[in-house]
Coordinates of all heavy atoms in Angstrom, one line a residue:
K68 N 0.9 -1.2 0.0 CA 0.0 -0.1 -0.1 C 0.9 1.3 0.0 O 2.0 1.2 0.6 CB -0.9 0.0 1.1 CG -2.0 1.0 1.3 CD -2.8 0.9 2.5 CE -3.9 1.7 2.6 NZ -4.8 1.5 3.8
S69 N 0.4 2.3 -0.6 CA 1.3 3.5 -0.8 C 0.5 4.9 -0.7 O -0.6 4.9 -1.2 CB 2.0 3.6 -2.0 OG 3.2 2.9 -2.0
L70 N 1.1 5.7 -0.1 CA 0.4 7.2 0.0 C 1.3 8.2 -0.9 O 0.9 8.7 -1.8 CB 0.5 7.6 1.4 CG 0.0 9.1 1.6 CD1 -1.6 9.3 1.2 CD2 0.1 9.6 3.0
H71 N 2.7 8.1 -0.7 CA 3.6 9.0 -1.5 C 4.2 8.0 -2.5 O 5.3 7.5 -2.3 CB 4.6 9.6 -0.6 CG 3.9 10.7 0.3 ND1 3.4 11.8 0.1 CD2 3.8 10.6 1.8 CE1 2.8 12.4 1.1 NE2 3.2 11.7 2.2
T72 N 3.7 8.0 -3.7 CA 4.3 7.3 -4.8 C 5.2 8.1 -5.6 O 6.0 7.5 -6.5 CB 3.3 6.6 -5.7 OG1 2.3 7.6 -6.2 CG2 2.3 5.6 -5.0
G73 N 5.4 9.3 -5.3 CA 6.3 10.2 -6.0 C 7.5 10.6 -5.0 O 8.1 9.6 -4.5
I74 N 7.8 11.7 -4.8 CA 8.8 12.2 -3.9 C 8.3 11.9 -2.5 O 7.3 12.4 -2.2 CB 9.4 13.6 -4.2 CG1 9.8 13.9 -5.6 CG2 10.3 14.1 -3.2 CD1 10.0 15.3 -6.0
P75 N 9.2 11.3 -1.8 CA 8.8 11.0 -0.4 C 8.3 12.3 0.4 O 9.0 13.3 0.4 CB 10.1 10.4 0.3 CG 10.9 9.9 -0.9 CD 10.6 10.8 -2.0
G76 N 7.2 12.1 1.1 CA 6.7 13.3 1.9 C 6.0 14.5 1.2 O 5.7 15.4 1.6
Q77 N 6.0 14.3 -0.2 CA 5.4 15.4 -1.1 C 4.2 14.7 -2.0 O 4.5 13.7 -2.3 CB 6.4 16.0 -2.0 CG 7.7 16.7 -1.2 CD 8.6 17.4 -2.1 OE1 8.3 17.8 -3.3 NE2 9.9 17.4 -1.7
G78 N 3.4 15.6 -2.2 CA 2.4 15.3 -3.1 C 2.7 15.8 -4.6 O 3.6 16.7 -4.7
S79 N 2.0 15.3 -5.6 CA 2.2 15.8 -7.0 C 0.8 16.0 -7.5 O -0.3 15.7 -7.0 CB 3.0 15.0 -7.7 OG 2.3 13.7 -8.0
R80 N 0.8 16.5 -8.7 CA -0.5 16.6 -9.4 C -1.0 15.4 -10.4 O -1.9 15.5 -11.1 CB -0.5 17.8 -10.3 CG -0.3 19.2 -9.4 CD -0.3 20.4 -10.3 NE -0.1 21.6 -9.5 CZ -0.1 22.9 -10.0 NH1 -0.2 23.1 -11.2 NH2 0.0 23.9 -9.2
G81 N -0.2 14.5 -10.4 CA -0.5 13.3 -11.3 C -0.3 11.9 -10.5 O 0.1 11.8 -9.5
T82 N -0.6 10.9 -11.3 CA -0.4 9.5 -10.9 C 1.1 9.1 -10.9 O 1.8 9.3 -11.8 CB -1.2 8.7 -11.8 OG1 -2.7 9.0 -11.7 CG2 -1.1 7.2 -11.3
N83 N 1.5 8.5 -9.9 CA 2.9 7.9 -9.8 C 2.8 6.4 -9.1 O 1.6 6.0 -9.0 CB 3.7 8.7 -8.8 CG 4.3 9.9 -9.5 OD1 4.8 10.0 -10.7 ND2 4.1 11.1 -8.9
Q84 N 3.9 5.7 -9.2 CA 3.9 4.3 -8.7 C 5.2 4.1 -7.9 O 6.2 4.9 -8.0 CB 3.8 3.5 -9.9 CG 5.2 3.4 -10.7 CD 5.1 2.7 -12.0 OE1 4.3 2.9 -12.8 NE2 6.0 1.5 -12.0
D85 N 4.9 3.0 -7.1 CA 6.1 2.4 -6.3 C 6.2 1.0 -6.9 O 5.4 0.4 -7.5 CB 5.8 2.2 -4.9 CG 5.8 3.7 -4.2 OD1 6.6 4.5 -4.7 OD2 5.1 3.9 -3.3
D86 N 7.5 0.5 -6.9 CA 7.9 -0.9 -7.4 C 8.4 -1.7 -6.4 O 9.3 -1.2 -5.6 CB 8.7 -0.8 -8.5 CG 8.3 0.3 -9.7 OD1 7.1 0.3 -10.0 OD2 9.1 0.8 -10.4
L87 N 8.1 -3.0 -6.4 CA 8.7 -4.0 -5.5 C 9.3 -5.1 -6.4 O 8.6 -5.7 -7.3 CB 7.7 -4.6 -4.4 CG 8.4 -5.6 -3.6 CD1 9.3 -5.0 -2.7 CD2 7.3 -6.3 -2.7
I88 N 10.7 -5.3 -6.4 CA 11.3 -6.1 -7.4 C 11.8 -7.4 -6.8 O 12.3 -7.5 -5.7 CB 12.5 -5.4 -8.0 CG1 12.1 -4.0 -8.7 CG2 13.2 -6.3 -9.0 CD1 13.2 -3.2 -9.2
M89 N 11.5 -8.4 -7.4 CA 11.9 -9.8 -7.0 C 13.3 -10.2 -7.4 O 13.7 -9.8 -8.6 CB 11.0 -11.0 -7.5 CG 11.4 -12.4 -7.1 SD 10.3 -13.6 -7.7 CE 9.0 -13.6 -6.5
Q90 N 14.2 -10.8 -6.5 CA 15.6 -11.1 -7.0 C 15.4 -12.1 -8.1 O 14.6 -13.1 -7.9 CB 16.3 -11.8 -5.9 CG 16.6 -10.9 -4.7 CD 17.8 -10.0 -5.1 OE1 18.4 -10.1 -6.1 NE2 18.4 -9.2 -4.0
G91 N 15.9 -11.9 -9.3 CA 15.8 -12.6 -10.4 C 17.0 -13.4 -10.8 O 18.1 -13.3 -10.3
T92 N 16.8 -14.3 -11.9 CA 17.9 -15.1 -12.5 C 17.8 -15.1 -13.9 O 16.6 -15.4 -14.4 CB 17.9 -16.5 -11.9 OG1 18.1 -16.5 -10.6 CG2 19.0 -17.3 -12.6
I93 N 18.7 -14.8 -14.7 CA 18.6 -14.7 -16.1 C 18.3 -16.2 -16.7 O 19.1 -17.1 -16.3 CB 19.8 -14.2 -16.8 CG1 20.0 -12.6 -16.3 CG2 19.7 -14.2 -18.3 CD1 21.4 -12.0 -16.8
V94 N 17.1 -16.3 -17.4 CA 16.8 -17.6 -17.9 C 16.5 -17.5 -19.4 O 15.7 -16.7 -19.8 CB 15.5 -18.3 -17.2 CG1 15.2 -19.6 -17.8 CG2 15.8 -18.2 -15.7
S95 N 17.2 -18.2 -20.2 CA 17.0 -18.2 -21.7 C 15.6 -18.7 -22.0 O 15.0 -19.5 -21.4 CB 18.0 -19.0 -22.4 OG 17.5 -19.3 -23.7
V96 N 14.8 -18.1 -23.0 CA 13.6 -18.7 -23.4 C 13.6 -20.1 -23.8 O 12.6 -20.6 -23.9 CB 12.9 -17.8 -24.4 CG1 12.6 -16.3 -23.9 CG2 13.8 -17.6 -25.6
N97 N 14.8 -20.6 -24.1 CA 14.8 -22.0 -24.5 C 14.5 -23.0 -23.4 O 14.2 -24.1 -23.6 CB 16.3 -22.3 -24.9 CG 16.8 -21.7 -26.3 OD1 15.9 -21.4 -27.0 ND2 18.1 -21.3 -26.4
Y98 N 14.5 -22.4 -22.1 CA 14.0 -23.1 -20.9 C 12.6 -22.8 -20.6 O 12.1 -23.2 -19.4 CB 15.1 -22.9 -19.9 CG 16.4 -23.4 -20.1 CD1 17.4 -22.6 -20.6 CD2 16.7 -24.7 -19.8 CE1 18.7 -23.1 -21.0 CE2 18.0 -25.2 -20.1 CZ 18.9 -24.4 -20.6 OH 20.1 -25.0 -20.7
S99 N 11.8 -22.0 -21.4 CA 10.5 -21.7 -21.2 C 10.2 -21.1 -19.7 O 9.4 -21.8 -19.0 CB 9.6 -23.0 -21.4 OG 9.6 -23.4 -22.8
P100 N 10.9 -20.0 -19.3 CA 10.6 -19.6 -18.0 C 9.1 -19.0 -17.9 O 8.6 -18.6 -18.9 CB 11.7 -18.3 -18.0 CG 11.9 -18.1 -19.4 CD 11.8 -19.2 -20.2
S101 N 8.7 -18.9 -16.7 CA 7.4 -18.3 -16.4 C 7.4 -17.8 -15.0 O 8.3 -18.1 -14.2 CB 6.3 -19.5 -16.5 OG 6.5 -20.4 -15.6
V102 N 6.3 -17.1 -14.7 CA 6.2 -16.6 -13.4 C 4.8 -16.5 -13.0 O 3.9 -16.4 -13.9 CB 6.7 -14.9 -13.3 CG1 6.1 -14.1 -14.3 CG2 6.6 -14.4 -11.9
V103 N 4.4 -16.8 -11.9 CA 2.9 -16.9 -11.3 C 2.8 -16.2 -10.0 O 3.7 -16.2 -9.2 CB 2.6 -18.4 -11.1 CG1 1.2 -18.5 -10.7 CG2 2.8 -19.2 -12.4
T104 N 1.7 -15.6 -9.9 CA 1.3 -15.1 -8.5 C -0.2 -15.2 -8.1 O -1.0 -15.2 -9.1 CB 1.8 -13.6 -8.4 OG1 1.8 -13.2 -7.1 CG2 0.9 -12.7 -9.2
R105 N -0.5 -15.1 -6.9 CA -1.9 -15.0 -6.6 C -2.1 -13.5 -6.0 O -1.2 -13.1 -5.3 CB -2.3 -16.0 -5.4 CG -2.8 -17.3 -6.0 CD -1.7 -18.2 -6.6 NE -2.3 -19.4 -7.0 CZ -1.4 -20.4 -7.3 NH1 -0.1 -20.2 -7.4 NH2 -2.0 -21.6 -7.8
V106 N -3.1 -12.9 -6.4 CA -3.4 -11.5 -6.1 C -4.8 -11.5 -5.5 O -5.7 -11.8 -6.1 CB -3.3 -10.6 -7.2 CG1 -3.6 -9.1 -6.9 CG2 -1.9 -10.7 -7.9
Y107 N -5.0 -10.7 -4.3 CA -6.2 -10.5 -3.7 C -6.9 -9.2 -4.0 O -6.1 -8.2 -3.8 CB -6.2 -10.6 -2.2 CG -7.4 -10.6 -1.3 CD1 -8.5 -11.7 -1.5 CD2 -7.8 -9.3 -0.9 CE1 -9.7 -11.5 -0.8 CE2 -9.0 -9.2 -0.2 CZ -10.0 -10.2 -0.2 OH -11.2 -10.1 0.4
L108 N -8.0 -9.2 -4.7 CA -8.7 -8.0 -5.1 C -9.7 -7.7 -4.1 O -10.8 -8.5 -3.9 CB -9.3 -8.0 -6.5 CG -8.5 -8.1 -7.7 CD1 -7.4 -9.1 -7.7 CD2 -9.2 -8.0 -8.9
P109 N -9.7 -6.5 -3.4 CA -10.6 -6.1 -2.3 C -12.0 -5.8 -3.0 O -12.1 -5.6 -4.2 CB -10.0 -5.1 -1.6 CG -9.1 -4.5 -2.5 CD -8.6 -5.6 -3.4

C-alpha cells in the first residue's frame, strides 16, 4: 500500500507508482521461463 508514490513526503498533481522487485535469475527462453502469483482484489 502507498501514499507517497512520487517524492517522499510530497504530493504531486499526477499519478505515480512504487515498485517491488523480486531477485531474479537470467533464464533463456529456450528453458520456457514463467512467473505466477496470486493476487487478492478487495
Side-chain angles (χ1 to χ4, degrees):
K68 190 175 181 179
S69 278
L70 178 62
H71 297 290
T72 50
I74 299 173
Q77 299 183 29
S79 69
R80 296 183 179 180
T82 297
N83 280 308
Q84 74 183 59
D85 290 324
D86 302 330
L87 181 65
I88 303 174
M89 179 182 278
Q90 293 279 8
T92 299
I93 299 173
V94 182
S95 167
V96 294
N97 292 328
Y98 295 92
S99 298
S101 65
V102 59
V103 176
T104 193
R105 271 74 180 183
V106 182
Y107 181 77
L108 281 61

